[in-house]
Amino acid sequence: MPRYDAPIRDMQFILHDVLQVQNYSNLPGFAEATPDVIDAILEESGKFAKDVLFPLNKIGDEQGCTRNPDGSVTTPDGFKDAYNQLVENGWPLLGKSEEMGGQNLPYVLQMATSEMTSSANMAFGMYPGLTSGAYEALMAGGSDEQKAMYGPKMASGEWAGTMNLTEPQCGTDLGLIKTKAVPQPDGSYKITGQKIWISGGEQDLTENIIHLVLARIEGGPEGIKGISLFVVPKFIVGEDGSLGERNTASCGGLEEKMGIHGNATCVMNYDEATGWLVGEEHKGMRTMFVMMNEARLGVGMQGLSQAEVAYQNAVDFANDRLQMRSLKGPQAPDKPADPIIVHPDVRRMLMDQKAFIEGARAFTYWTALFGDLHHRSPDETVRQQADDYMALMTPVLKAFLTDRGYKMANEALQVHGGSGFTKEWGLEQFVRDCRITLIYEGTNGIQALDLVGRKLAANGGRAVFSFFAEMDDFVGANADNEDMKVFTDGLAEAKAQLQEGTTWLMQNGMSDFNNAGAASTDYLQLFGLTALAYMWAKMAKVALEKKGSDPFFDDKLITGRYYMTRIMPEAAAHLAKLKTGAEPMMALPADRF
């Protein structure tokens, strides 16, 4: 049977030692996030994930959700009780504002607790995760009345939230949306249309669901510039906060999916449902991107989380499974064979996983901290850089962590051999659940296009050049430390390759847009590898200072050196491929494939 234990020690290392969250105590919310408070939250969140959520993971996968004859949806056994515990214990309120009843703790801490939830039960974690994103979108674009009406109960998780973008004829190209909104005399709108793949569109966990729906106001401009955003509650909310009549928004069916069976993925039908405009007419995408960007960071974290739980079980199996003898002779002479962890190729798979997971966790939390700085710092320069970095890193984090996270979950299954292909060991569920992360919230190909087409050129390249300078400064500051040489040399080489790839795109992407498109995925992979190299260099510096005090730090250095010597060489291949441009990809006529 599979197991999950929250990697609290590694989380503490990143939060306390690498990011030094305690040094931001001058910012709102950080003063309360003392190391003791952070440790207590991590411990309790880890227990909830292990004892309550993980036992439901297999149940959710096997049972799935059920659409009843009346259109209601029943979640798997145990999900409702677990969700009630989540709300009663205040977990959704960690990072929410005090005005909405929250604790206003740093977003980076909430990211850590969300990772545990997702590792333990990814399908379950999507319910509060999407609600948080919908809440943030309303806080960013909603009126004061909408914030007051929906905010507190969405913040607490008493009410859920969804995002309704995709329709049968359009996914990425939202300019093709057909859902229409007709203005009413009382200021509301009648929303009519169909949305598909709506996570948590209907469920039995909360008494109300607040749908955020993209639609085109009747007579509005064609294309993306004519899209508006509406709040459409399952139950109409009265001025006193009470629930009134049922809205004409209903679940027309549940998708039969490869994974995440415990999450209700709905076809949502809006039949002149009552909705209210969020923000300005025809400016809906601006507000929805608040939710989409938070969701993309969350999806990147899901790639990490599934790699983590799969890795833990792969390590257990590798230590227990006896097969053959070590190439150097028996390592367990009292047993009929050696555990497979003695074999170099098994070690390769485990070390690939470990090096990715620990680097990816640092990258995720480092990026989340910039989210806090953007919202909380009084320094305009700090806020600007944080905003720049969040915009630049979001597509990288989403796509790189899910590409690699899925690969690592597959490697964990491979360690199990034939056992991994069977349901008993749980690995095949981790792989199936993780696969969606490469697709939803914008496919990874779209993330790569967003990176090279929008984020690099934004503000004259200010964000990426700032990142280059930061890595240069780190290498320069540690150049005389011989113990850091493998990390500083590796980072300097990676940065040089990323800069070369960036220059190539700037020189060749504008002359032929297909060059940018053809290079985009390799460029994103190169960027992700470089970002993790920077994280490993930062972690190594701390680990060297503490080396000898705890084997944890020795292990950190061993793993970091593995990343630099075994994984970073992939960057050169991505650079070589991106520089070939579009011609090799586009040469074959479409009708000859």
Side-chain angles (χ1 to χ4, degrees):
M1 291 293 290
R3 60 100 179 176
Y4 172 68
D5 289 292
I8 292 172
R9 182 68 183 88
D10 201 57
M11 293 175 171
Q12 291 171 327
F13 170 67
I14 297 170
L15 294 172
H16 300 326
D17 299 323
V18 179
L19 299 182
Q20 298 183 333
V21 170
Q22 63 274 12
N23 290 348
Y24 297 93
S25 59
N26 61 312
L27 301 182
F30 277 82
E32 292 74 21
T34 63
D36 287 346
V37 168
I38 289 175
D39 289 348
I41 289 172
L42 293 179
E43 291 286 348
E44 290 304 313
S45 181
K47 291 177 184 176
F48 182 69
K50 177 181 180 178
D51 298 337
V52 178
L53 299 183
F54 188 69
L56 299 176
N57 196 43
K58 185 178 182 181
I59 294 171
D61 184 57
E62 293 177 344
Q63 289 187 3
C65 297
T66 303
R67 181 183 180 275
N68 304 309
D70 63 356
S72 64
V73 171
T74 303
T75 54
D77 291 348
F79 270 48
K80 185 171 178 60
D81 180 62
Y83 190 86
N84 288 339
Q85 291 185 56
L86 180 90
V87 173
E88 289 168 3
N89 293 332
W91 290 113
L93 288 167
L94 279 183
K96 303 300 189 299
S97 69
E98 293 175 351
E99 181 184 5
M100 292 295 162
Q103 300 177 42
N104 199 36
L105 290 170
Y107 174 57
V108 65
L109 178 57
Q110 183 177 318
M111 183 64 78
T113 62
S114 295
E115 181 200 328
M116 298 182 207
T117 297
S118 186
S119 281
N121 195 323
M122 180 174 155
F124 178 93
M126 291 170 65
Y127 292 110
L130 284 163
T131 298
S132 180
Y135 163 87
E136 293 296 344
L138 272 178
M139 292 302 104
S143 66
D144 290 343
E145 292 78 9
Q146 289 169 342
K147 293 176 185 179
M149 179 173 289
Y150 305 113
K153 290 197 173 183
M154 291 181 73
S156 69
E158 293 174 74
W159 292 353
T162 70
M163 58 190 301
N164 288 241
L165 290 77
T166 307
E167 298 181 7
Q169 78 286 350
C170 68
T172 299
D173 190 356
L174 293 172
L176 299 176
I177 278 177
K178 293 181 179 179
T179 299
K180 67 177 182 179
V182 180
Q184 302 299 300
D186 64 358
S188 67
Y189 291 77
K190 292 298 183 185
I191 312 296
T192 301
Q194 185 180 80
K195 298 289 183 177
I196 62 173
W197 305 337
I198 308 306
S199 300
E202 179 60 47
Q203 35 79 1
D204 60 352
L205 306 178
T206 62
E207 62 179 0
N208 204 5
I209 304 173
I210 311 304
H211 303 291
L212 293 186
V213 183
L214 289 180
R216 192 184 310 280
I217 296 174
E218 197 171 46
E222 293 298 315
I224 203 72
K225 294 182 179 179
I227 302 299
S228 299
L229 181 63
F230 299 87
V231 57
V232 186
K234 175 180 176 179
F235 289 98
I236 304 297
V237 182
E239 292 183 4
D240 62 353
S242 63
L243 298 185
E245 65 181 19
R246 178 75 154 81
N247 212 341
T248 51
S250 62
C251 172
L254 291 176
E255 301 290 354
E256 296 290 336
K257 309 186 297 291
M258 177 180 176
I260 54 169
H261 296 156
N263 192 270
T265 306
C266 302
V267 175
M268 293 298 296
N269 296 322
Y270 294 90
D271 185 12
E272 293 194 340
T274 302
W276 289 268
L277 182 68
V278 178
E280 301 178 48
E281 290 185 357
H282 318 313
K283 304 291 185 182
M285 288 305 300
R286 181 186 303 170
T287 304
M288 185 58 89
F289 266 116
V290 174
M291 182 172 187
M292 291 170 67
N293 285 333
E294 174 160 325
R296 286 168 177 172
L297 292 174
V299 172
M301 177 270 294
Q302 287 178 334
L304 159 64
S305 73
Q306 294 306 288
E308 170 67 41
V309 67
Y311 165 73
Q312 290 186 18
N313 287 276
V315 170
D316 291 349
F317 189 88
N319 278 296
D320 293 339
R321 178 68 165 169
L322 304 180
Q323 291 286 281
M324 303 182 296
R325 289 298 186 185
S326 165
L327 297 175
K328 297 181 68 174
Q331 302 297 301
D334 57 326
K335 297 178 180 179
D338 288 329
I340 62 172
I341 201 167
V342 305
H343 302 306
D345 199 56
V346 173
R347 289 290 190 103
R348 173 188 62 80
M349 290 186 284
L350 293 176
M351 288 300 294
D352 278 357
Q353 294 165 62
K354 182 175 174 62
F356 163 75
I357 290 165
E358 294 178 16
R361 180 172 293 117
F363 184 35
T364 301
Y365 294 7
W366 178 76
T367 304
L369 180 59
F370 282 112
D372 281 313
L373 296 178
H374 172 58
H375 290 292
R376 301 173 191 250
S377 176
D379 188 323
E380 185 177 350
T381 302
V382 171
R383 290 199 308 273
Q384 177 185 282
Q385 185 196 33
D387 189 39
D388 284 352
Y389 272 25
M390 285 288 285
L392 178 67
M393 301 302 171
T394 293
V396 179
L397 196 149
K398 190 278 181 186
F400 185 76
L401 266 59
T402 57
D403 274 340
R404 297 276 169 153
Y406 177 66
K407 181 181 179 182
M408 295 304 106
N410 271 289
E411 292 280 34
L413 187 152
Q414 187 73 17
V415 170
H416 282 72
S419 298
F421 202 65
T422 64
K423 287 184 176 293
E424 176 185 359
W425 294 86
L427 270 293
E428 58 87 32
Q429 182 189 345
F430 303 144
V431 172
R432 285 187 290 106
D433 284 352
C434 192
R435 186 60 184 84
I436 186 58
T437 64
L438 286 72
I439 299 171
Y440 63 10
E441 304 306 337
T443 65
N444 286 357
I446 292 297
Q447 303 302 319
L449 288 174
D450 179 46
L451 176 64
V452 303
R454 293 191 181 96
K455 303 303 171 60
L456 285 185
N459 301 301
R462 185 174 67 201
V464 72
F465 291 131
S466 175
F467 185 49
F468 291 158
E470 182 173 333
M471 289 187 286
D472 284 339
D473 289 346
F474 182 92
V475 170
N478 295 279
D480 295 334
N481 187 339
E482 190 64 26
D483 291 334
M484 281 287 291
K485 186 172 176 58
V486 67
F487 297 99
T488 51
D489 286 356
L491 178 58
E493 182 178 4
K495 180 262 175 180
Q497 290 169 332
L498 180 60
Q499 190 163 15
E500 183 179 348
T502 305
T503 300
W504 187 92
L505 277 170
M506 290 178 174
Q507 292 173 345
N508 297 276
M510 293 304 293
S511 60
D512 183 347
F513 291 156
N514 274 345
N515 279 334
S520 60
T521 289
D522 284 299
Y523 180 80
L524 187 145
Q525 293 293 320
L526 173 57
F527 203 122
L529 287 164
T530 304
L532 262 64
Y534 183 38
M535 295 302 108
W536 270 114
K538 290 170 74 70
M539 289 190 286
K541 183 177 180 180
V542 176
L544 282 167
E545 293 169 357
K546 298 177 179 290
K547 184 181 177 183
S549 63
D550 185 335
F552 173 90
F553 300 110
D554 299 317
D555 295 348
K556 190 66 67 175
L557 291 167
I558 292 170
T559 308
R561 292 186 186 109
Y562 180 90
Y563 181 87
M564 290 296 188
T565 56
R566 288 280 307 187
I567 297 178
M568 266 312 301
E570 296 176 28
H574 286 296
L575 175 61
K577 288 195 292 183
L578 78 84
K579 290 169 65 177
T580 63
E583 196 280 329
M585 287 184 191
M586 307 306 290
L588 188 66
D591 62 356
R592 300 208 318 246
F593 273 87

